[in-house]
Amino acid sequence: KEGCGRPTAPGKTRNGNPYQTCCRGCVQKIGHDPACNLRVSKSDWEIMLAGEWKLVGVAERNFLDELDRTNQSTGHVKLRGHEYEFDLSQLTQRNIATGKVRQLRRCARPQNSSTPGGEIDGENEGTNELVPITLHVYDLLQNPSIQTANGILRVVGSGAYHTALEVYDMEWSYGACEHGTGVFSCIPGGCAMHHYREAIPLG
């Protein structure tokens, strides 16, 4: 047998060794290893950014895992105010608006440093991960008068604004809600109650 034919790209094992196939059985051309599907469920995704492989965000990972789980080769998703097409057969991400294409690949999920040699599970994953946080600033409400006033007042550090924090590809803020505590989430830059102004990286 020649293996399972699962689309793969060069990746790294948990120990940092390179691989180009999905399982040992496919490397040895003796047939697909049934345990491979379990290992895939514990794998992650990387994307080529500025010449380096970087782990994708949580939202992208969940979307790609769902595509793979349901045996879909392509899918569209809106993230950070942009729409992307993912193609698992080509292992690519394409920005719908700009047409820019980036390469994807699978890799082993990083081990938690507190459990050397252990398996990754959902409870411990990412506890040591550094995550960028972005402040999103809106002109309060959708009132053109407030937008004009803010354009003038911001020169002296004033104005009427709504702010929100983006973490793990979701935006969180506080405001009027029909249910719950008032804390709500949306896609970054997508709060419809207010007029979007700018994003400020916080580190």
Side-chain angles (χ1 to χ4, degrees), residues 47-122:
I47 188 168
M48 179 64 73
L49 295 173
E52 295 184 15
W53 288 107
K54 302 286 187 182
L55 285 173
V56 301
V58 173
E60 286 100 327
R61 176 201 295 166
N62 292 340
F63 181 77
L64 289 166
D65 284 347
E66 181 64 14
L67 281 182
D68 191 45
R69 186 185 68 79
T70 56
N71 294 317
Q72 299 180 68
S73 61
T74 62
H76 292 76
V77 64
K78 191 170 184 180
L79 299 164
R80 299 175 296 278
H82 298 279
E83 187 175 358
Y84 297 97
E85 178 188 58
F86 288 90
D87 187 331
L88 297 189
S89 64
Q90 300 295 319
L91 288 170
T92 57
Q93 176 214 65
R94 182 172 67 90
N95 185 309
I96 299 297
T98 66
K100 185 175 181 63
V101 176
R102 292 189 171 104
Q103 291 298 309
L104 297 168
R105 72 177 183 184
R106 277 201 179 278
C107 66
R109 286 191 183 171
Q111 283 186 287
N112 187 315
S113 59
S114 64
T115 57
E119 290 293 314
I120 296 293
D121 60 34

Side-chain angles (χ1 to χ4, degrees), residues 86-166:
F86 288 90
D87 187 331
L88 297 189
S89 64
Q90 300 295 319
L91 288 170
T92 57
Q93 176 214 65
R94 182 172 67 90
N95 185 309
I96 299 297
T98 66
K100 185 175 181 63
V101 176
R102 292 189 171 104
Q103 291 298 309
L104 297 168
R105 72 177 183 184
R106 277 201 179 278
C107 66
R109 286 191 183 171
Q111 283 186 287
N112 187 315
S113 59
S114 64
T115 57
E119 290 293 314
I120 296 293
D121 60 34
E123 294 180 2
N124 294 326
E125 178 191 348
T127 54
N128 296 320
E129 182 181 3
L130 295 177
V131 179
I133 297 178
T134 302
L135 178 71
H136 292 279
V137 181
Y138 297 79
D139 296 311
L140 195 63
L141 305 176
Q142 292 284 359
N143 189 325
S145 298
I146 294 178
Q147 297 167 32
T148 301
N150 282 350
I152 298 170
L153 292 172
R154 70 178 304 186
V155 177
V156 294
S158 185
Y161 303 100
H162 170 79
T163 58
L165 289 174
E166 176 189 346

